[in-house]
């Protein structure tokens, strides 16, 4: 009988295991002291949102995104993320960095300013793409925030792993195949992350004004899902009809890039009716199902660092998958930086097990079942008796989760043994504790904290955000000085100015060349 991938992995020596390479992108709204979305420009002291390596904006001018470099340790990554937060918090004036995924008080689309990136062609392209999101889906869903976790394994491991499996492909193709192996199992198990880390069970009235929904009243300013784990990842969050027509295949790189490319070049009648211009103003990049690859919403993405003006598909096809981006994580409102150490260590353990477990290709019928499991846990996951479809039979969510966590124990022990610590076993136990005491599931904690404080979503998140702000403003920087952050901001402004000065091509001609490339 052939050895399993787990058995082969456990035969590796400690010196063969290079550990994880990791980074995080954390979004969050700037909000005024009344709990309303900020109407002010991105603070100049935080640098150029176009070129700053650590501080940028996502969809809205008020939706910041903080980005760490790549680290080989969870502690190093979190120290960096906390330093970026410390710098940001010192330059927000009387504004607040919103601690939750679901937004503050809004007043319709007009209250959500689209991000600006200056007058360079690349800056204008980023702005037009966001205008396209607005005309396609409205701005409300673009005000939602989350955390994206980026993780990879070093080439030394991949070379040893390829040899151990007896694979004769190029290292580039082998890595891509293995990352898609991981992604297939991630698709099968991602519901577990929504149970363990979903933290958006409630939202402000203003988010669903004039919108049909099936939420329950929490108080006069707040709606909630009584058993929901993540409204952010449900039908009120990242969801649209055009993308539901796509059948994105996560079985291998070639079909993934081909399907995305087809979506970028397939016209969608409703978008054609809108057109790409309103007078002289560009309002979307094109009228296809997707303007660009990043418009496709998914819980996980295979990624490759792009070169300037290179498209993600081109980078993936030329150089293969470099890392995995986990995109389904709600902000943890109890954490000053939105994520926690035990969460990151558990994600590493979870993702490695996805790589080491059997991962047959996903057919259409299984794909539909996996989507249903995910949606069910997002909407009703706190009911641990709810049934999931698991490999042809139905299991209660709580039982299925306990079984998955138990299966991670040998791997946690091996990784801790190699590292001479206990961080993976502690991270695993932290998740087991949530099943043993369901009131500790993050979505349940949020609901209980609001109820105990007698506050709605808007007031409670504002209270938590101000608490985090006070503590971060009082802390000393750990790894990057405030002076270095100030230099990074000034350099970024200079880089944006240089890009704007170097552009000579009219934007319309630039966009035509971009679409043709």
């Amino acid at each position: 009988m052939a050895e399993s991938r787990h058995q082969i992995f456990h035969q590796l020596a400690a010196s063969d295991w290079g550990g994880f390479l990791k980074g995080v992108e954390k979004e969050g709204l700037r909000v005024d002291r009344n709990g309303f979305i900020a109407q002010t420009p991105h603070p100049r002291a935080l640098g150029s949102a176009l070129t700053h390596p650590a501080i940028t904006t996502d969809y809205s001018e008020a939706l910041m995104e903080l980005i760490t470099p790549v680290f080989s340790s969870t502690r190093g990554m979190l120290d960096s993320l906390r330093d970026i937060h410390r710098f940001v918090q010192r330059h927000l004036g009387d504004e607040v960095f919103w601690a939750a995924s679901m937004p503050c008080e809004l007043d319709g689309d007009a209250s959500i300013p689209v991000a600006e990136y200056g007058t360079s062609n690349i800056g204008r392209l980023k702005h037009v793409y966001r205008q396209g999101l607005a005309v396609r889906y409205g701005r409300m869903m673009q005000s939602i925030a989350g955390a994206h976790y980026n993780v990879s394994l070093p080439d030394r491991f991949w070379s040893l792993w390829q040899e151990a499996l007896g694979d004769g492909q190029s290292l580039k193709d082998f890595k891509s195949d293995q990352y898609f192996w991981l992604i297939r199992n991630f698709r099968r198990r991602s519901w577990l992350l929504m149970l363990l880390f979903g933290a958006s069970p409630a939202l402000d009235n203003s988010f669903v004004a004039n919108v049909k929904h099936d939420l329950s009243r929490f108080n006069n300013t707040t709606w909630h899902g009584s058993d929901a784990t993540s409204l952010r990842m449900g039908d009120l969050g990242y969801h649209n009809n055009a993308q539901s027509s796509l059948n994105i295949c996560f079985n291998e790189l070639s079909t993934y890039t081909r399907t995305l490319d087809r979506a970028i070049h397939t016209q969608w009648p409703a978008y054609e009716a809108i057109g790409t211009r309103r007078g002289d103003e560009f309002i979307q990049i094109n009228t296809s199902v997707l303007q660009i690859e990043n418009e496709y919403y998914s819980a996980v993405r295979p990624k490759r660092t792009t070169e300037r003006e290179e498209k993600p598909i081109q980078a993936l096809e030329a150089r293969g998958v470099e890392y995995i981006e986990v995109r389904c994580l709600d902000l943890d409102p109890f954490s000053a930086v939105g994520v926690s150490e035990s969460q990151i260590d558990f994600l590493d353990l979870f993702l490695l097990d996805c790589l080491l477990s059997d991962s047959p290709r996903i057919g259409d019928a299984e794909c539909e079942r996996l989507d249903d499991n995910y949606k069910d846990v997002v909407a009703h996951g706190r009911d641990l008796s709810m049934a999931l479809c698991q490999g042809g039979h139905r299991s209660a969510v709580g039982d299925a989760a306990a079984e998955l966590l138990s299966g991670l124990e040998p791997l946690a022990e091996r990784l801790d043994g190699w590292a001479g610590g206990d961080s993976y076993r502690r991270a695993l136990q932290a998740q087991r504790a949530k099943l043993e005491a369901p009131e500790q599931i993050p979505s349940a904690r949020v609901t209980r904290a609001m109820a105990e404080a007698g506050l709605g979503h808007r007031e409670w998140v504002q209270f938590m955000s101000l608490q985090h702000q006070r503590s971060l403003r009082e802390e000393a920087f750990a790894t990057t000085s405030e002076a270095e952050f100030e230099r990074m901001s000034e350099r970024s402004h200079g880089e944006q100015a240089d890009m704007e000065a170097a552009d000579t091509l009219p934007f319309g001609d630039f966009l035509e060349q971009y679409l043709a490339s």
Side-chain angles (χ1 to χ4, degrees):
M1 184 175 178
E3 289 183 303
S4 72
R5 290 163 69 95
H6 268 286
Q7 289 170 326
I8 294 170
F9 180 82
H10 282 266
Q11 290 169 10
L12 296 176
S15 58
D16 295 334
W17 170 241
F20 303 93
L21 300 173
K22 61 190 75 178
V24 70
E25 304 162 16
K26 189 261 187 172
E27 302 162 346
L29 283 170
R30 285 186 297 111
V31 174
D32 69 23
R33 287 284 163 162
N34 296 315
F36 192 83
I37 186 170
Q39 301 298 297
T40 52
H42 184 64
R44 178 175 173 80
L46 300 182
S48 162
L50 178 65
T51 57
H52 198 294
I55 305 169
T56 183
T57 52
D58 193 81
Y59 172 79
S60 173
E61 189 75 357
L63 184 57
M64 290 192 295
E65 183 175 349
L66 311 187
I67 306 166
T68 72
V70 177
F71 287 89
S72 59
S73 73
T74 300
R75 175 45 46 203
M77 186 194 77
L78 291 177
D79 283 346
S80 172
L81 182 62
R82 199 168 188 97
D83 271 351
I84 302 170
H85 276 79
R86 288 169 180 136
F87 182 72
V88 166
Q89 292 283 14
R90 283 163 165 79
H91 293 87
L92 288 185
D94 62 358
E95 292 178 345
V96 178
F97 198 23
W98 197 245
S101 282
M102 297 311 287
C104 57
E105 184 184 4
L106 307 169
D107 188 13
D109 277 5
S111 68
I112 304 169
V114 178
E116 300 280 356
Y117 298 96
T119 60
S120 70
N121 283 329
I122 290 292
R124 291 187 64 188
L125 181 70
K126 290 170 73 73
H127 178 75
V128 172
Y129 165 62
R130 286 155 174 77
Q131 291 282 22
L133 298 178
V135 298
R136 290 168 176 229
Y137 318 123
R139 299 185 185 186
M140 298 294 279
M141 68 182 265
Q142 312 299 334
S143 64
I144 299 170
H148 299 166
Y149 181 53
N150 302 315
V151 65
S152 66
L153 296 168
D155 278 352
R156 171 173 166 73
F157 167 77
W158 287 122
S159 296
L160 290 167
W161 187 237
Q162 184 176 24
E163 182 180 348
L165 294 180
D167 184 276
Q169 299 180 86
S170 68
L171 184 61
K172 180 196 83 168
D173 291 340
F174 174 74
K175 286 169 58 179
S176 292
D177 282 353
Q178 293 298 295
Y179 277 124
F180 271 86
W181 182 293
L182 184 162
I183 287 171
R184 290 195 297 272
N185 276 335
F186 181 96
R187 292 265 292 116
R188 293 182 171 103
R189 304 173 179 182
S190 56
W191 61 265
L192 179 65
L193 302 184
M194 306 320 300
L195 173 65
L196 298 177
F197 303 118
S200 56
L203 49 76
D204 190 72
N205 278 354
S206 60
F207 188 78
V208 289
N210 304 313
V211 173
K212 185 178 180 181
H213 61 81
D214 58 1
L215 300 177
S216 302
R217 263 288 173 205
F218 183 83
N219 69 9
N220 62 355
T221 66
T222 301
W223 294 92
H224 76 126
S226 56
D227 289 317
T229 62
S230 177
L231 298 182
R232 166 180 173 259
M233 298 306 296
D235 287 345
L236 291 171
Y238 295 125
H239 176 81
N240 65 79
N241 292 329
Q243 289 193 23
S244 65
S245 71
L246 299 177
N247 185 21
I248 299 293
C249 179
F250 282 97
N251 280 325
E252 61 184 30
L253 178 59
S254 59
T255 52
Y256 174 78
T257 56
R258 187 165 60 245
T259 312
L260 275 181
D261 187 65
R262 185 167 63 243
I264 293 169
H265 294 95
T266 299
Q267 299 297 300
W268 187 255
Y271 303 157
E272 288 183 292
I274 296 169
T276 58
R277 294 197 191 201
R278 187 175 292 137
D280 292 333
E281 178 190 6
F282 286 89
I283 56 171
Q284 54 181 341
I285 291 174
N286 57 35
T287 57
S288 300
V289 176
L290 300 177
Q291 297 175 91
I292 60 175
E293 299 92 328
N294 289 349
E295 188 173 340
Y296 175 61
Y297 300 118
S298 59
V300 63
R301 278 183 188 163
K303 296 292 288 279
R304 162 63 66 173
T305 305
T306 55
E307 298 170 359
R308 186 174 177 184
E309 297 185 21
E310 184 180 39
K311 296 176 180 177
I313 286 177
Q314 295 168 336
L316 282 169
E317 290 178 336
R319 299 185 297 284
V321 181
E322 179 184 8
Y323 63 96
I324 298 299
E325 181 185 38
V326 177
R327 300 172 50 80
C328 58
L329 303 175
D330 285 352
L331 299 184
D332 177 358
F334 299 99
S335 165
V337 297
V339 294
S340 67
E341 186 169 9
S342 65
Q343 177 185 28
I344 298 300
D345 286 339
F346 177 80
L347 286 170
D348 289 343
L349 185 65
F350 174 87
L351 293 168
L352 181 58
D353 192 68
C354 286
L355 175 68
L356 301 181
S357 300
D358 288 343
S359 184
R361 297 196 166 217
I362 298 173
D364 291 344
E366 184 184 10
C367 185
E368 188 172 331
R369 289 196 303 273
L370 299 180
D371 287 343
D372 287 344
N373 284 346
Y374 188 83
K375 292 174 185 175
D376 287 347
V377 173
V378 161
H380 306 291
R382 274 187 283 150
D383 176 5
L384 296 184
S385 66
M386 184 189 70
L388 293 181
C389 188
Q390 294 277 97
H393 64 277
R394 298 188 74 77
S395 304
V397 170
D399 294 339
E403 183 179 350
L404 276 177
L405 294 183
S406 293
L408 295 175
E409 190 168 343
L411 186 57
E413 290 176 354
R414 175 50 57 103
L415 294 180
D416 279 339
W418 282 343
D422 65 350
S423 60
Y424 292 105
R425 282 170 291 181
R426 283 190 289 108
L428 182 56
Q429 180 52 38
Q431 309 319 313
R432 280 178 165 159
K434 296 174 184 177
L435 300 183
E436 294 164 1
E439 67 274 11
Q440 295 304 315
I441 291 172
S443 50
R445 286 185 67 198
V446 169
T447 303
R448 188 175 71 256
M450 291 193 303
E452 290 176 352
L455 300 174
H457 180 264
R458 181 192 315 171
E459 297 83 8
W460 181 76
V461 179
Q462 184 84 336
F463 170 77
M464 295 298 294
S465 304
L466 287 166
Q467 271 196 335
H468 297 327
Q469 183 174 75
R470 283 191 291 270
S471 63
L472 288 165
R473 284 180 171 178
E474 291 170 0
E475 294 174 3
F477 288 84
T479 59
T480 305
S481 69
E482 185 167 15
E484 177 55 27
F485 276 116
E486 290 170 349
R487 288 191 289 271
M488 289 166 66
S489 291
E490 284 308 309
R491 282 196 300 269
S492 71
H493 284 302
E495 290 165 5
Q496 177 177 330
D498 290 343
M499 290 173 65
E500 291 172 350
D503 275 345
T504 56
L505 198 64
F507 179 70
D509 296 341
F510 167 84
L511 181 58
E512 187 176 332
Q513 290 185 11
Y514 176 84
L515 293 172
S517 66

